[in-house]
Amino acid sequence: MNSEMMFIPPPHPPPLLDADQVLQLARTGYLPLNLSPALQDCLHTLLKLGHEFFKESTSSKETKYPTAQGTELGYYLVENEKAYLTLRHQYGGDTTRALSLAASNFWITAASFLYRILSDLSTALDIPISVWDPLLDGCLSMPASLAETTPTLLRLFDYFPGAGAAEKHTDTGFLTLCIGTAPGLQVWSPLDSELQHSGTWSDVGNQPTVLIGKALQWLSSSRLRAGLHRVVPNAEGRRSAVFALRPSLRHPKLDLAPFGQPSIVDLVDVWKQIRENVFNVNAQSNIRKQQKKMLAANVYYKTHGHTDHGEASAP
């Protein structure tokens, strides 16, 4: 054999999920999974440094990671509930270098993990894996600067004992990896493939869990279901890491033909619509209430043709 023979690499990563796991994820929108040793190591370092960060004074945390873009970047405190740090790019200062490096290492390992799952789902739906290249441009490694950010993000949460929670919701992106240090994350298990409102809540304990988001449900024409979930209070408190793989907006014109839809859409507009139709479960309580009321009013208007000024709940 010619020692100089060139070998063509495989067109996509090796399968990570078996057929039953793919089916569960597609039908319920969630899947508990074990992490690779490499990802576990990255997670351990990240959570350790994150724990040290949350023990610092509020002024120190706000100085290192100023709140920006609403709740989408930096340190954010939700009074009497939780605090969290949203990272979307690397930080180069001396006081942030260690945590930034740990976040960057976790980011690239978690992104590779979710990309393999996305590839398995694509294979099951007969979607060419190459279609994800522009949709994930700049998302698979942590951006070096604010100017290079995409919607993809990494969050570290510190839920306060007996109070920290998140209302039921579905995520907006493609896939989310959720990992907690204690029980609190619950997922909705639908009893019928067509009835989202019929089912039961299940506690995943400390098991790492992957969730499908609204953007992936939309692209798949609802062949994949977004995973409904919530966080309930833990008497001892709870810390978690959440990596949300979201669409890159660097290539706005999206051809939907590979997804079985003969049209071209503006991905920026689609993403905006997805984001506008949800309320922010991580905002302050008064902001959440206001957002849910506005969402309910919009739904009522679309249904009845006029606004309803009474109290309402989000759908």
Side-chain angles (χ1 to χ4, degrees), residues 8-14 115 119 129-130 133:
I8 301 175
H12 51 76
Y115 179 71
S119 297
I129 296 174
S130 60
D133 292 344

Side-chain angles (χ1 to χ4, degrees), residues 115 118 122 127-136 174 216 219 259:
Y115 179 71
L118 196 58
S122 300
I127 296 173
I129 296 174
S130 60
V131 303
W132 299 108
D133 292 344
L135 286 167
L136 296 176
F174 291 144
L216 187 54
L219 276 176
F259 298 95

Side-chain angles (χ1 to χ4, degrees), residues 34-183:
N34 294 322
L35 304 181
S36 68
L39 188 49
Q40 289 182 38
D41 288 344
C42 291
L43 173 67
H44 175 76
T45 302
L46 178 65
L47 288 178
K48 178 177 180 294
L49 292 174
H51 182 57
E52 294 174 0
F53 167 77
F54 284 118
K55 290 192 297 183
E56 297 178 15
S57 67
T58 299
S59 60
S60 174
K61 290 179 284 194
E62 291 175 342
T63 299
K64 290 180 178 179
Y65 300 98
T67 301
Q69 302 179 19
T71 61
E72 291 295 287
L73 186 64
Y75 174 74
Y76 195 91
L77 173 65
V78 182
E79 293 291 343
N80 302 317
E81 292 184 19
K82 58 195 170 190
Y84 58 93
L85 175 63
T86 303
L87 299 170
R88 293 175 58 194
H89 64 84
Q90 300 174 34
Y91 290 75
D94 291 339
T95 60
T96 59
R97 184 172 289 113
L99 180 54
S100 181
L101 178 60
S104 181
N105 290 337
F106 178 80
W107 184 303
I108 195 169
T109 312
S112 176
F113 179 72
L114 292 185
Y115 179 71
R116 290 183 65 184
I117 295 174
L118 196 58
S119 297
D120 290 345
L121 292 172
S122 300
T123 299
L125 297 180
D126 198 26
I127 296 173
I129 296 174
S130 60
V131 303
W132 299 108
D133 292 344
L135 286 167
L136 296 176
D137 185 12
C139 300
L140 299 181
S141 60
M142 195 173 197
S145 67
L146 177 61
E148 300 173 71
T149 58
T150 71
T152 293
L153 58 77
L154 168 62
R155 275 199 176 118
L156 301 178
F157 283 92
D158 182 23
Y159 290 95
F160 302 156
E167 299 175 64
K168 64 179 182 180
H169 64 285
T170 53
D171 292 342
T172 54
F174 291 144
L175 293 172
T176 304
L177 174 61
C178 301
I179 313 163
T181 60

Side-chain angles (χ1 to χ4, degrees), residues 220-282:
S220 70
S221 298
S222 294
R223 289 180 290 174
L224 303 174
R225 167 177 284 171
L228 186 66
H229 59 287
R230 66 185 182 186
V231 176
V232 297
N234 184 297
E236 299 180 356
R238 179 177 180 270
R239 292 180 291 121
S240 69
V242 174
F243 179 72
L245 187 62
R246 296 171 168 181
S248 170
L249 305 179
R250 296 180 178 180
H251 309 275
K253 297 303 178 184
L254 175 62
D255 185 356
L256 295 178
F259 298 95
Q261 306 175 48
S263 61
I264 296 177
V265 298
D266 188 312
L267 186 58
V268 175
D269 288 343
V270 171
W271 180 243
K272 181 179 179 182
Q273 292 173 21
I274 290 174
R275 299 274 295 166
E276 287 180 344
N277 287 317
V278 298
F279 70 96
N280 188 345
V281 297
N282 293 314

